[in-house]
Amino acid sequence: MYINEAFKLAQMTDGQTGRNPAVGCIIVRDGAIIGIGAHLKEGSSHAEVQALAMAGDARGATLYCTLEPCSHYGQTPPCTEAVVEAGISRVVFAARDTSLDNTGIAYMEAHGIEVSHEPHDDITEFYAPFFQAKKDSACYVTVKLAATLDGKLADDSDSSKWLTNADSRTDVHKLRHTMDGVLVGRRTYELDQPKLDARHVSGKKPAKIIISRSGDVKLHAADIDSEQRIIIITSRELETTAEVIVTDDLSPGHITKLLYKHGIRRLLVEGGSSVITAFIEHDCFDEVVLYYAPKLLGGTERNRFYHTEEKELSALKQLELKSVDVFQHDVKLTYRKGQNDVHRNY
Amino acid sequence: MYINEAFKLAQMTDGQTGRNPAVGCIIVRDGAIIGIGAHLKEGSSHAEVQALAMAGDARGATLYCTLEPCSHYGQTPPCTEAVVEAGISRVVFAARDTSLDNTGIAYMEAHGIEVSHEPHDDITEFYAPFFQAKKDSACYVTVKLAATLDGKLADDSDSSKWLTNADSRTDVHKLRHTMDGVLVGRRTYELDQPKLDARHVSGKKPAKIIISRSGDVKLHAADIDSEQRIIIITSRELETTAEVIVTDDLSPGHITKLLYKHGIRRLLVEGGSSVITAFIEHDCFDEVVLYYAPKLLGGTERNRFYHTEEKELSALKQLELKSVDVFQHDVKLTYRKGQNDVHRNY
C-alpha cells in the first residue's frame, strides 16, 4: 500500500527532475505516515532526505521508496547514510537502480536495517526510460504526431490547423510536461510558430529544439531571450540568443546522444514529416504516440507523416500497442517499439 | 426486458434476411414466454407469425416485436391480421417501419389491441442501415480496410499478407457475415484471390462483387459455378458463369443503386486502394472500419488507401467515431460519416 503512495509522489514530480529520475518516499511508524518526500529538482535533496526531514525523529520506522536509495556522492550525499543515521529499521523499495554500482543495500544491512526489494510492474515501467537513456547515453525518444486517418499531418498547402480537437491538444500538453525537450524541423518551426509548451495544464516549458543543417533559423520574437530553453542543432556557428549545438552529423542517432549530454533525457519528436520520417527510418524511437483525427483527407505525398523510397513489407517497423485513449471523436494510440516479427499465424 | 430478448433474436439472424430487416418477436403471458420467433430468410414467415405458431393458443398474451408489425401483402400476408386473429391483447414494438405506409397500428387498435411504441436506441441504430438503403434505393456502404498506421494497404510490391493478426481477421469475417455483398476491384481480386467469406465464424458467403470496366476478369477456379454468388460489374457483355451487371456508369453512386436492385442492401467495400479512394472521394459511404496493424511501413504512394490529386483541408471528409476495439496489438476503429465541421475550438 505505502509503495503505491510513494509512487504517486514520484508521478507528481515526473517531468521536473531533469536528468534524475523522479522518486517518491513515505516513512511509516505504528501504522501512520510520519514523513513524505519527493525529489523535486535535479541538484536538490533526494526524496528520502526530504521525508526524513519531515519526520524529524524516524527511529524504528519503515521507509518506502520507489527507487533503491543511492549510496554515492553525486550532487548530494548518499541517502543510505542518512537512512542509517536516522535509525530507520526497515527499508522497502520497488526498483533497483541498475545505472549505478550501488552498494547501499549491503551498507544498510550491515547497519542492522532489514531491506526488502519488492518489484512493482508500474514502477518498473515508470523508470524504464530513465535507465535506458542512461545506459545508452542518449535520449529516450517519443515520436508524437497528429494526423488524419490516412496519415496526413497537413494538407497539400501545409495547412494543419485544428486537425485534432481541444481535448487531444490538452493531452499533448500533458505529454510535453513529462519531456525535457521537444524537437521540430526548421520548416515546422517557422510555419507553425509552435509554442511547444504545456500551458493548457499549467505545466512547464520543455526545451524547444530546432534542427537546421544550414542554421538559417529565424527565431520568433517570443523565442529571443526567452526563459524557455531554445536549442538549435546545426552544422555551423551562429550568432543567436539561442543555445547552439554544432555538429556535422545530424543523423537522429547522433542528435539524441548530443542532446543527452546537454541534459535532455526524454525527447519528444513532433515534426514535420521529414523529421518524423528520419527518426522512424533510423529506428531512433522508443515510443510512438498517434493522435488520429476523425477525418480522411487524401491528397499527395506531401505531409504524409512517413514517406520513403520504395519499401517492402520485410522492412516495416513493428510496434507494440501500449494504450488506447479516446478524446471525443479523436483516438490516441500509444505504441512502444516492438520486435520485427511479421505475423505468420495463418 | 422482453424487448431486449426480441432484439437478441433479431441480432442472431442479422445478415441472413436479404433485403428484409432481421426481426425478433417474443410472446408473453402470465410472466412466461409462450412463443419465440425470428424472420429467418427473405420470403419466409415473419417473426410474429413464427412466434404465434410456437405459442399455439396466444389469446390474451402480449407480443413484443423489434419492428412494427407489417400491414401489407408482400411476399407473406400481413402480420397484423395474424396478430388480431390470434387474440393477442397487447403489442409492444421498438422501431416504427418508416419505409412503408403502415396502417397496422390503427387496424390492431380498431380490433381492441393495446399498442405501444417503445423506442430503444440500440434497435433504432440496428435498423438505420435498412431504412436508409430502402429510402435511397441504394446499398448501405461500409468501407473496410486493414492498414499500417501510416495508411498503407500493402507494400510497394503489392504484398499485404498478414498485416493484421488472426483475431482481426476473424472479426472481419463477423463483419462480412452481416453483409449482403463484398466488393473489390479486379486487381485486388486477381492478386489476392480473396475468398471474401465468413468461414472463420462458420458464417455465410456474401455475394462476391468484382468491378472491372473492361470485364477482363479471370475468375479463380473456385469461383466458377460457385454456390457463392459472384457478380461482375462491367461496361460490356461477358461470357461467364458469374452474374454480370452491364453499365457504362461505374461511379460508386450508380453502382450502389444497381446493386440494391440486385438484392444487395448492405455492401462492404474491401479494396484495393483505387476502389476505396473512389468510394471515399464520391462520399459514397456510410461507415468506415479501419483495422490498424501495429506497424509503420513508409514507402511510396502505391497502395496508400486514400490518395488523390492535391487536396486542401476544406475538402476533407469528416467522420464520427462509433467504436474502438482492440485485438491484441491491432486496433479497430469504426466511424460513421460525419458533418464537415472542421474544429474551430481554439
Side-chain angles (χ1 to χ4, degrees):
Chain A
M1 181 173 87
Y2 293 113
I3 203 73
N4 283 321
E5 306 298 333
F7 185 34
K8 282 177 197 158
L9 300 171
Q11 288 171 301
M12 273 179 215
T13 53
D14 187 27
Q16 63 182 58
T17 58
R19 276 169 305 190
N20 287 346
V23 178
C25 180
I26 298 275
I27 301 176
V28 176
R29 190 170 51 203
D30 301 331
I33 292 174
I34 60 169
I36 290 172
H39 180 51
L40 300 177
K41 202 180 159 188
E42 190 174 344
S44 77
S45 297
H46 284 190
E48 301 90 319
V49 173
Q50 302 268 27
L52 288 170
M54 188 187 290
D57 175 6
R59 280 174 295 179
T62 299
L63 181 147
Y64 295 85
C65 199
T66 52
L67 187 65
E68 175 182 355
C70 73
S71 63
H72 74 298
Y73 284 88
Q75 290 168 298
T76 61
C79 293
T80 47
E81 286 185 15
V83 168
V84 167
E85 270 165 36
I88 291 287
S89 61
R90 184 165 169 244
V91 167
V92 178
F93 67 91
R96 287 225 52 175
D97 187 347
T98 55
S99 71
L100 295 168
D101 188 17
N102 227 334
T103 56
I105 296 173
Y107 176 83
M108 292 186 288
E109 285 178 342
H111 286 78
I113 298 175
E114 181 194 339
V115 182
S116 309
H117 175 210
E118 296 183 3
H120 182 295
D121 285 348
D122 293 342
I123 296 177
T124 302
E125 183 164 326
F126 179 77
Y127 285 121
F130 166 72
F131 288 125
Q132 186 187 309
K134 198 155 182 180
K135 181 169 68 65
D136 298 345
S137 297
C139 310
Y140 186 88
V141 176
T142 300
V143 171
K144 169 251 145 183
L145 53 97
T148 61
L149 294 164
D150 53 318
K152 296 269 284 193
L153 300 174
D155 72 7
D156 292 324
S157 311
D158 298 335
S159 174
S160 66
K161 285 297 179 205
W162 313 297
L163 265 192
T164 48
N165 64 32
D167 291 352
S168 291
R169 292 195 300 272
T170 296
D171 190 73
V172 169
H173 285 220
K174 285 185 193 160
L175 184 64
R176 283 189 191 137
H177 179 69
T178 66
M179 297 289 161
D180 303 309
V182 177
L183 181 146
V184 291
R186 182 196 58 80
R187 197 166 136 262
T188 297
Y189 174 74
E190 291 185 352
L191 275 178
D192 293 359
Q193 306 205 15
K195 289 204 175 68
L196 303 180
D197 60 15
R199 64 196 178 282
H200 284 191
V201 293
S202 303
K204 72 173 178 194
K205 298 183 176 183
K208 190 186 286 193
I209 303 160
I210 306 148
I211 303 189
S212 167
R213 178 169 291 282
S214 70
D216 214 5
V217 180
K218 191 171 156 37
L219 285 188
H220 301 305
D223 288 340
I224 296 170
D225 296 319
S226 163
E227 65 177 89
Q228 184 174 12
R229 200 175 161 196
I230 312 287
I231 303 174
I232 300 174
I233 306 180
T234 178
S235 63
R236 66 178 180 88
E237 301 290 342
L238 302 178
E239 284 288 327
T240 172
T241 61
E243 276 179 66
V244 178
I245 300 179
V246 179
T247 174
D248 281 331
D249 180 358
L250 277 95
S251 68
H254 190 237
I255 284 171
T256 59
K257 284 184 185 294
L258 288 176
L259 286 172
Y260 186 79
K261 280 190 198 139
H262 284 75
I264 308 295
R265 181 167 47 99
R266 277 188 286 187
L267 178 68
L268 191 67
V269 173
E270 290 220 19
S273 63
S274 304
V275 170
I276 288 172
T277 292
F279 274 79
I280 296 173
E281 201 58 5
H282 284 80
D283 280 316
C284 193
F285 63 93
D286 300 290
E287 299 193 18
V288 178
V289 180
L290 297 114
Y291 294 85
Y292 280 119
K295 296 166 209 279
L296 292 163
L297 180 55
T300 71
E301 280 291 282
R302 191 174 180 88
N303 293 313
R304 224 185 101 198
F305 77 75
Y306 184 34
H307 60 272
T308 66
E309 298 297 296
E310 274 199 15
K311 271 300 242 334
E312 303 221 343
L313 274 193
S314 55
L316 62 72
K317 313 294 182 185
Q318 184 71 39
L319 308 176
E320 287 174 5
L321 183 64
K322 199 173 151 187
S323 61
V324 177
D325 298 282
V326 174
F327 302 110
Q328 298 173 67
H329 293 283
D330 289 356
V331 178
K332 175 192 183 189
L333 303 180
T334 303
Y335 295 88
R336 62 167 72 83
K337 191 187 258 179
Q339 301 300 314
N340 256 354
D341 53 346
V342 176
H343 288 288
R344 301 212 174 273
N345 41 6
Y346 231 173
Chain B
M1 180 173 89
Y2 293 112
I3 203 74
N4 283 321
E5 306 299 333
F7 186 32
K8 282 178 198 158
L9 299 171
Q11 289 171 300
M12 272 179 215
T13 53
D14 187 27
Q16 64 182 57
T17 58
R19 276 168 304 189
N20 287 346
V23 178
C25 180
I26 298 274
I27 301 176
V28 176
R29 191 170 52 203
D30 301 331
I33 292 174
I34 60 169
I36 291 172
H39 181 49
L40 300 176
K41 203 178 159 189
E42 191 174 342
S44 76
S45 298
H46 284 191
E48 301 90 319
V49 173
Q50 302 267 27
L52 288 170
M54 189 187 291
D57 174 6
R59 280 175 295 177
T62 299
L63 180 146
Y64 295 87
C65 198
T66 52
L67 187 66
E68 175 181 356
C70 72
S71 63
H72 74 297
Y73 284 88
Q75 290 168 298
T76 60
C79 293
T80 47
E81 287 185 13
V83 168
V84 167
E85 271 166 35
I88 290 287
S89 61
R90 185 168 168 243
V91 167
V92 178
F93 67 91
R96 287 225 52 175
D97 187 348
T98 55
S99 72
L100 295 169
D101 188 17
N102 228 332
T103 58
I105 296 172
Y107 177 82
M108 292 187 288
E109 285 177 343
H111 285 80
I113 298 176
E114 180 195 340
V115 182
S116 310
H117 174 210
E118 296 183 4
H120 182 297
D121 285 349
D122 293 342
I123 296 177
T124 302
E125 183 165 326
F126 179 76
Y127 285 120
F130 166 73
F131 288 125
Q132 186 187 308
K134 198 154 183 181
K135 181 169 68 66
D136 298 345
S137 298
C139 310
Y140 186 88
V141 176
T142 301
V143 171
K144 168 252 148 185
L145 53 96
T148 62
L149 295 164
D150 52 319
K152 296 269 283 194
L153 301 174
D155 71 8
D156 292 323
S157 311
D158 298 333
S159 173
S160 65
K161 284 297 178 207
W162 311 298
L163 265 190
T164 48
N165 64 33
D167 291 353
S168 291
R169 292 195 301 270
T170 295
D171 190 72
V172 168
H173 286 221
K174 285 183 193 161
L175 183 63
R176 283 190 192 137
H177 179 69
T178 66
M179 298 288 162
D180 303 309
V182 178
L183 182 147
V184 291
R186 183 197 57 82
R187 199 167 134 262
T188 297
Y189 174 75
E190 291 185 353
L191 275 177
D192 292 0
Q193 306 204 12
K195 290 204 175 68
L196 303 179
D197 61 15
R199 64 195 179 283
H200 284 192
V201 292
S202 303
K204 73 172 179 196
K205 298 183 175 181
K208 192 186 285 193
I209 303 160
I210 306 148
I211 303 189
S212 167
R213 179 170 290 283
S214 70
D216 213 5
V217 180
K218 192 174 155 34
L219 284 189
H220 301 305
D223 288 341
I224 297 170
D225 296 318
S226 162
E227 64 176 90
Q228 184 174 12
R229 200 174 162 197
I230 313 287
I231 302 174
I232 300 175
I233 305 179
T234 178
S235 63
R236 66 178 179 88
E237 300 290 342
L238 301 179
E239 284 289 326
T240 171
T241 61
E243 275 178 69
V244 179
I245 300 178
V246 180
T247 174
D248 280 332
D249 181 358
L250 277 95
S251 69
H254 190 237
I255 285 172
T256 59
K257 284 182 185 294
L258 288 176
L259 285 173
Y260 185 79
K261 280 189 200 143
H262 283 76
I264 308 295
R265 181 168 45 102
R266 278 189 284 186
L267 178 68
L268 191 66
V269 173
E270 289 221 20
S273 62
S274 304
V275 170
I276 288 173
T277 291
F279 275 78
I280 296 173
E281 201 59 5
H282 285 80
D283 280 318
C284 193
F285 63 92
D286 300 289
E287 300 194 17
V288 178
V289 180
L290 297 113
Y291 294 84
Y292 279 120
K295 297 168 209 278
L296 293 163
L297 179 56
T300 71
E301 281 289 283
R302 191 174 179 87
N303 293 312
R304 226 184 101 197
F305 76 77
Y306 184 33
H307 59 272
T308 66
E309 297 298 296
E310 274 199 14
K311 271 302 243 332
E312 303 221 343
L313 275 193
S314 55
L316 63 71
K317 313 294 181 186
Q318 184 71 38
L319 308 178
E320 287 174 7
L321 183 63
K322 198 173 151 189
S323 61
V324 177
D325 298 281
V326 174
F327 302 109
Q328 297 174 68
H329 293 283
D330 289 355
V331 177
K332 175 192 183 189
L333 303 180
T334 302
Y335 295 88
R336 61 168 72 84
K337 191 187 258 178
Q339 301 300 314
N340 257 353
D341 54 345
V342 176
H343 288 288
R344 302 212 173 274
N345 42 5
Y346 229 175

